Amino acid sequence: MALSGVRVLELAGLAPAPFCGMILADFGAQVVRVDRVKSGPQMDSMARGKRSLALNLKSPEGAQVLKKLCVHSDVLIEPFRQGVMEKLGLGPERLLQENPRLIYARLTGFGQSGKYAQEAGHDINYLALSGLLSNLGRKNENPYAPLNLLADFAGGGLICALGIAMALFERTKSKKGQVIDASMVEGAAYVGSFLWKAQAIGLWNRPRGENLLDSGAPFYDTYKTSDGKFMAVGALEPKFYQALLKGLDLDSTKLPDQLSFSDWPSLKSIFTDTFSKKTQAEWCKIFDGTDSCVSPVLSLEEVSLHPHNKERRSFIRDHEEKVSPRPAPLLSRTPATPCLRRDPLVGEHTHEILKETGFTPEEIAKLQSAGIIECNKAKANL
Ligand SMILES: C[C@H](CCC[C@@H](C)[C@H]1CC[C@H]2[C@@H]3[C@H](O)C[C@@H]4C[C@H](O)CC[C@]4(C)[C@H]3C[C@H](O)[C@]12C)C(=O)SCCNC(=O)CCNC(=O)[C@H](O)C(C)(C)COP(=O)(O)OP(=O)(O)OC[C@H]1O[C@@H](n2cnc3c(N)ncnc32)[C@H](O)[C@@H]1OP(=O)(O)O
């Protein structure tokens, strides 16, 4: 796989860093998640393909162990607020001294500098500060965050993984590591560059919820069907819009012009009324293959059964019969082959990882009896 041989240390954190680690593991990197000792069950639901080592970083001996692990690693991902690693004596200066080839990825909400650098926050806070949140929401409603997808994952974990891939590539020439300051505010804003760069087109110079792509336009929205499901309509271009009207059996000569903003509300109620008369399956039968940009809104349970997704095997089922998206993008010669085994237990691989890193059995036993590490062997499935 593309990242085979890349050794990653992911310090256990909330959503963004685990997603970044999972991406790297899916594409072949050996990812070790460094968990806290006595931490109880891990909340990391994106741990596939990772191993877990439980280590008390607050102890000097524990910090020493991490330094030695870093000497044998290519990437470190740290998900803490600015300054925490320095407090532990594990800041970039120290670790890059131990290993000048180390790629030290710092995944935070607000970045390593600035007024908020030490502030707590979650996706919605970063999205708010990025400027994107002010554009998200329906007319006359408050802005709303689309789950924690945009800052945590798109602008956080994914952008950080991109930064790591670029730093790995750069290192093939310079032979040097570097520090990645991945701020989720900036990552989310960067993902949303289109909002700034396309201002001149005038796609969203009207109030929130009254624009082309933010539920203002009747031909770019969702509609409820008679069986309580929904259809998604994205018929932007005139040729697709005509196909939409045809599928809805509406006479365009009797309707206002597609881009007559003032008529959008009345056009939307005509579409709402029309879509409410048939089931989702009936609308799919009408629209599939007609280039009208109309698709069924599928639930997480339905997606893997949809013929298109089934044909491409877009969703995978692990050994515990749990379904999740397959890694993307699909590389033709070195595709990702995600691990389908169960997620690691906290500390399940502590012993084997320390042994691989050159610790003797006596050193490991000493660390364990001092509570610096935790070794939780998986109970054999009887
Ligand atoms: C929207 C998402 C949130 C996704 C996660 C959610 C699924 C869960 C988050 C909260 C959960 C709920 C909550 O716990 C309450 C209930 C509990 C109940 O049991 C279950 C139900 C709950 C409702 C539960 C349900 C869910 O699990 C949750 C909702 C996000 O936005 S995630 C993005 C968050 N932001 C970032 O990642 C940006 C960078 N990080 C930070 O800014 C901070 O880490 C953060 C997130 C603000 C947390 O700050 P905190 O003070 O807690 O930590 P830090 O300042 O970073 O310091 C870390 C300290 O930990 C020490 N440490 C780390 N590793 C080790 C180690 N191996 N050994 C020893 N010590 C370690 C480190 O030294 C620091 O110590 P100090 O604080 O003393 O310096």
Side-chain angles (χ1 to χ4, degrees):
M1 287 187 274
L3 296 181
S4 294
V6 174
R7 297 154 303 173
V8 179
L9 288 174
E10 172 201 320
L11 303 189
L14 298 177
F19 180 53
C20 181
M22 184 184 84
I23 294 170
L24 304 178
D26 281 348
F27 283 88
Q30 296 152 339
V31 179
V32 169
R33 190 185 66 209
V34 180
D35 287 304
R36 294 161 172 78
V37 297
K38 299 192 191 67
S39 70
Q42 240 297 333
M43 297 304 289
D44 173 9
S45 57
M46 292 171 282
R48 73 177 175 221
K50 300 176 188 174
R51 294 189 292 170
S52 166
L53 170 142
L55 176 66
N56 179 1
L57 293 176
K58 284 197 168 171
S59 66
E61 303 85 341
Q64 218 33 53
V65 168
L66 191 82
K67 283 182 197 154
K68 191 165 177 185
L69 288 166
C70 283
V71 169
H72 298 267
S73 299
D74 299 293
V75 180
L76 172 79
I77 304 169
E78 67 99 347
F80 309 131
R81 103 178 66 199
Q82 188 263 339
V84 164
M85 290 295 276
E86 283 80 353
K87 258 193 313 183
L88 295 169
L90 296 169
E93 296 66 35
R94 293 293 290 277
L95 297 189
L96 279 155
Q97 240 170 10
E98 304 280 338
N99 175 4
R101 289 169 49 83
L102 185 68
I103 289 156
Y104 192 115
R106 316 195 80 168
L107 180 46
T108 61
F110 301 108
Q112 294 299 316
S113 58
K115 178 170 184 280
Y116 284 176
Q118 297 233 327
E119 285 291 308
H122 282 292
D123 176 278
I124 194 166
N125 307 107
Y126 313 138
L127 200 58
L129 216 69
S130 77
L132 298 186
L133 185 55
S134 64
N135 288 269
L136 302 174
R138 287 185 177 277
K139 184 177 178 181
N140 300 330
E141 291 181 9
N142 292 356
Y144 87 99
L147 303 176
N148 60 322
L149 298 174
L150 278 176
D152 273 4
F153 297 122
L158 185 56
I159 286 277
C160 190
L162 173 65
I164 289 166
M166 291 194 283
L168 284 167
F169 178 71
E170 191 282 335
R171 192 181 71 172
T172 62
K173 292 168 282 182
S174 67
K175 311 293 176 228
K176 290 193 189 116
Q178 60 183 306
V179 180
I180 298 174
D181 178 358
S183 142
M184 285 184 253
V185 169
E186 293 162 0
Y190 192 50
V191 164
S193 294
F194 186 51
L195 270 72
W196 285 269
K197 307 295 278 176
Q199 289 279 10
I201 309 176
L203 290 179
W204 25 77
N205 45 16
R206 298 157 59 81
R208 182 175 56 253
E210 296 181 37
N211 299 281
L212 202 67
L213 305 178
D214 66 357
S215 75
F219 46 87
Y220 201 88
D221 203 348
T222 55
Y223 291 93
K224 199 168 192 174
T225 57
S226 63
D227 53 347
K229 296 187 173 187
F230 293 90
M231 297 301 282
V233 173
L236 292 169
E237 296 80 347
K239 59 182 177 178
F240 304 143
Y241 181 67
Q242 287 311 319
L244 166 70
L245 298 183
K246 188 160 172 270
L248 294 173
D249 196 18
L250 294 171
D251 178 352
S252 58
T253 60
K254 297 199 176 75
L255 294 174
D257 182 73
Q258 179 188 5
L259 295 180
S260 158
F261 292 160
S262 56
D263 291 307
W264 277 0
S266 59
L267 200 51
K268 185 166 277 191
S269 47
I270 295 171
F271 287 5
T272 302
D273 181 52
T274 310
F275 270 110
S276 70
K277 294 191 164 50
K278 287 183 172 58
T279 67
Q280 186 187 72
E282 286 167 338
W283 285 121
C284 286
K285 228 173 150 76
I286 290 168
F287 284 113
D288 277 6
T290 62
D291 250 13
S292 44
C293 307
V294 178
S295 337
V297 176
L298 300 174
S299 68
L300 300 187
E301 293 69 35
E302 291 168 324
V303 286
S304 57
L305 307 171
H306 187 280
H308 176 77
N309 294 334
K310 218 169 167 181
E311 197 181 322
R312 281 185 56 84
R313 296 198 297 277
S314 304
F315 292 84
I316 54 178
R317 191 177 290 276
D318 66 19
H319 292 168
E320 295 172 320
E321 290 302 304
K322 288 188 208 129
V323 173
S324 62
R326 80 169 169 189
L330 183 58
L331 275 62
S332 62
R333 189 169 46 77
T334 59
T337 46
C339 171
L340 300 177
R341 293 189 306 276
R342 63 162 175 77
D343 289 349
L345 304 175
V346 170
E348 181 174 350
H349 308 95
T350 303
H351 198 278
E352 78 183 44
I353 293 162
L354 294 183
K355 209 163 145 238
E356 286 164 12
T357 313
F359 286 87
T360 65
E362 296 71 27
E363 287 168 328
I364 296 171
K366 200 159 158 257
L367 288 167
Q368 188 163 6
S369 59
I372 312 293
I373 61 171
E374 219 168 67
C375 302
N376 295 320
K377 266 326 262 158
K379 308 233 175 346
N381 291 340
L382 301 175

